[in-house]
Amino acid sequence: MTAAPGGPAPTVGQPAPDFELVNQFGEPVRLSGLRGRIVVLVFFPFAFSGICTGELCEIRDNLALFEDTDAAVLGISVDSKFAQRAYGEKEGFTFDLLADFWPHGAVAEQYGVFDPDSGMAKRGTFIIDADGIVRYVVVNPRGQARDFTEYRTALAGLAGN
C-alpha cells in the first residue's frame, strides 16, 4: 500500500494509491495490474443496501458505457468476499466486487473515504486513467446516490485522450 492510512482523498492529477484486494471469487486484484486501462473505483457502504444496490445496478445496466472505453469497474466495500459473491450473484454483477474486509477498510482509508464512526466506506468514485493518474473524484454524503451521468461525462473526456 502506497498511501498513508487515514490520509486525504487523492485529488485529480495525483497518482492513485496502489492496493491489492480479493474479488468476490477470492482472486487477487491489484490496481497497478490494470495499467493501460481506465479504472473506475466505486466505493460503496454495504452489499445488499438500498442506495448501493440502485447505484451498482445502474452500472450493471449500462456496462457498455464502461466497456466502450475499455474501463474496468471495481466495486469496493468493507464486506467479506463471501458477502460480495452472494451480492454479485443475486444482482447479476459481472464486474469485480472487492472485499476491503481486513484490515477493515484499509483501502477506503487510503482513498480518504473510510468512515471510522460507522465502519463503512463513504460513496466515493475515483476514475483513474491508463497511466494510474486520478482524473475524476466525487464523494457523496451518506444517503445521497451518485449521479450516473457524471460517469458518462468523465469517461467521454478520457476516451478522447
Side-chain angles (χ1 to χ4, degrees), residues 65-88:
L65 167 69
F66 301 93
E67 292 169 345
D68 289 349
T69 57
D70 193 33
V73 175
L74 303 176
I76 305 173
S77 77
V78 298
D79 296 293
S80 72
K81 68 181 178 186
F82 305 106
Q84 297 286 38
R85 187 169 187 170
Y87 185 44

Side-chain angles (χ1 to χ4, degrees), residues 21 28 43 95 105 118 121 123 145 157-158 161:
L21 293 172
F43 288 91
F95 50 89
S118 63
R123 286 177 212 292
L158 288 177
N161 292 341

Side-chain angles (χ1 to χ4, degrees), residues 114-128:
F114 185 70
D115 180 358
D117 294 332
S118 63
M120 67 181 190
K122 299 174 188 171
R123 286 177 212 292
T125 299
F126 300 83
I127 298 181
I128 301 159

Side-chain angles (χ1 to χ4, degrees), residues 6-125:
T11 58
V12 171
Q14 291 185 321
D18 196 19
F19 63 85
E20 182 174 289
L21 293 172
V22 295
N23 68 10
Q24 66 267 44
F25 305 107
E27 302 162 335
V29 175
R30 178 169 285 281
L31 180 62
S32 58
L34 296 169
R35 287 279 163 34
R37 296 183 70 188
I38 296 168
V39 178
V40 181
L41 301 181
V42 181
F43 288 91
F44 61 99
F46 294 112
F48 298 102
S49 60
I51 294 173
C52 299
T53 299
E55 288 181 315
L56 294 179
C57 285
E58 193 163 16
I59 291 171
R60 175 202 65 203
D61 295 346
N62 293 280
L63 204 54
L65 167 69
F66 301 93
E67 292 169 345
D68 289 349
T69 57
D70 193 33
V73 175
L74 303 176
I76 305 173
S77 77
V78 298
D79 296 293
S80 72
K81 68 181 178 186
F82 305 106
Q84 297 286 38
R85 187 169 187 170
Y87 185 44
E89 287 175 358
K90 178 181 184 298
E91 299 299 340
F93 299 144
T94 57
F95 50 89
D96 283 325
L97 298 175
L98 304 183
D100 192 10
F101 183 71
W102 198 257
H104 187 76
V107 173
E109 276 193 43
Q110 281 185 284
Y111 280 80
V113 296
F114 185 70
D115 180 358
D117 294 332
S118 63
M120 67 181 190
K122 299 174 188 171
R123 286 177 212 292
T125 299

